Amino acid sequence: MLWAGRSAIEIARAVRHGDVKAATVVEEHLHAISERDSRVGAFRLVREQAVDEARLLQKRRDLTDLPLAGVPVAVKDNLEVAGEATRGGSAATSDAPAPEDHATVARLRAAGAVVVGLTNLPELGLVAFGDSAYGIVRNPWNPSRTAGGSSAGSAAAVAAGMVPLALGNDGMGSLRIPAACCGVLAIKPGTGLVPPPANDWERLTENGPLATTVPDLALALSVLAADPSLAEAWRGGRRVEPPPRMLRSVWADDDEVWEPQPPPASPEPFDLRVAYAPQPLPPGLPMDKEFRAAVRGAAETLRLAGHTVVEHERRLPAWLGPATIATWLVRAAEAAEGLERGRLERRTRGLARAGRVLGALKLDGVRGRERWSGYGADQWFGDADALITPALAAIPPKAERWGERGFLRNAGSNVRYAPATGAWNMCGWPAITVPLATHSSALPIGVQLIAPPGGEPHLLGLAAQLQAAHPPLRPPGFSF
């Protein structure tokens, strides 16, 4: 039986029950990577030792309790994996191996996952492209287009079926943008739910999972958050405490344990107040008409599912855009600090230079961020439980060496195609990207759902209902 292309939940169940060895699963996924990644460029490093790690996993005494038993995962190359260099998409970073796993990687491994590789990202994770000194990450749906960024390789690896789960992070949309570009799911948790990266951009950046199915995404988030009640939150939009372990049945043979039948694999009805904003951007920033239509389609799907759906006609405040851009550029300057300037890309040098100038002029976005996170986001959002917006404003740009270009071309392209996500990093609210339709360009269309703090269960439940009505698709040439 072929295990590459199957869900994380299917793989883990089979490994726990002894239907397949973890090493077999990992070997099949490494083979898929070797066959497919030449077309995509998702991985900087493929870990052949993952097979040996899977064999060791098989010997764990708690194997039957592991929620991600034997599941291959890819990790963005700005999160520490013990024994591997963390390059962050840059030739200027250290090539010394990390002494220990980042907390999120450690949690995935403790849950039984096996790290099969480190994925590419743009230098220091600064932009919504996938190119770096290590290559260009291409969109599996159209190799001439970017996979987005900065979690480019993680999104492309999941979309191309090379892994069922990947780990990335999101400082201004860096999970949601590539997920929308590549037609997969990604969730940016709210502040404090999941351990952040070492450099969290002054609490702007959150680590989170990417997957093709909502149950897989919820399971991965529950492991990353060390919160088992999130694993089944997709069923009804609320946390579900796991049942206690079943006692051995007095009627069973000595080596049998009675297990209840799993519940139906479909979301349950629940009722939220859901707003939708087909064009939330300030005047002057256009929005693709097909993306606007997708938001209306998502709203209608959720209305038919039983939710109260209302249109949100107000646009985001004009002052928020400049504050968000200034915050991004100042963070770029901080990220580049201490690295050898001559080894940094032209793009990075330009972004950092702009950030230093803004910082010196006290135009660093701090007051705008405080205003938005303090009360602005809550006032603008209104009384809805969740809000639907486009995830992107235009289709992904060409997959090219943007790092060799200057500040204006990179910043301009980023703002034109991916301006819809950064606002929710500025206030620390959770947000999820869900693939919903196909654009006339044959690229996927994703919608973004946002919720107030603590709303991750609502987002998972709504995403499950959207996915039930709009099943996920594989890119052409990447099916199994």
Side-chain angles (χ1 to χ4, degrees), residues 332-421:
E334 292 174 354
E337 191 173 341
L339 297 177
E340 185 181 336
R341 186 176 182 279
R343 302 188 70 189
L344 293 172
E345 295 178 336
R346 179 186 175 191
R347 170 179 59 200
T348 302
R349 296 195 301 270
L351 293 170
R353 187 183 310 114
R356 288 194 297 272
V357 170
L358 291 173
L361 296 173
K362 305 298 183 185
L363 299 174
D364 52 11
V366 170
R367 283 190 292 181
R369 184 180 175 190
E370 290 175 347
R371 180 180 176 186
W372 182 243
S373 61
Y375 61 88
D378 196 55
Q379 289 180 345
W380 185 84
F381 198 86
D383 60 357
D385 297 303
L387 172 69
I388 314 169
T389 75
L392 304 174
I395 64 170
K398 293 285 187 180
E400 296 173 342
R401 254 324 249 125
W402 289 87
E404 297 173 353
R405 298 170 183 170
F407 164 71
L408 289 177
R409 291 187 70 183
N410 276 276
S413 184
N414 267 252
V415 171
R416 280 192 300 273
Y417 106 90
T421 52

Side-chain angles (χ1 to χ4, degrees), residues 17-107:
H17 290 182
D19 297 332
V20 65
K21 298 290 187 183
T24 299
V25 173
V26 169
E27 285 171 344
E28 288 192 9
H29 282 82
L30 289 174
H31 180 68
I33 293 170
S34 69
E35 283 193 329
R36 297 176 176 222
D37 198 41
S38 60
R39 291 179 277 163
V40 177
F43 287 89
R44 179 186 73 79
L45 174 71
V46 178
R47 302 183 71 249
E48 299 295 339
Q49 65 266 43
V51 177
D52 292 333
E53 293 173 2
R55 293 193 180 104
L56 290 175
L57 170 75
Q58 198 73 43
K59 299 176 182 179
R60 282 178 57 171
R61 297 183 64 182
D62 61 349
L63 180 68
T64 57
D65 295 329
L66 301 180
L68 294 176
V71 174
V73 299
V75 175
K76 186 176 179 179
D77 189 25
N78 65 353
L79 291 167
E80 296 80 7
V81 172
E84 309 291 0
T86 310
R87 300 309 305 259
S90 179
T93 52
S94 171
D95 61 0
E100 60 184 11
D101 289 334
H102 184 272
T104 51
V105 177
R107 287 180 178 183

Side-chain angles (χ1 to χ4, degrees), residues 114-130:
V114 181
V115 178
V116 295
L118 304 182
T119 57
N120 278 314
L121 65 152
E123 188 167 54
L124 307 181
L126 298 181
V127 290
F129 300 115

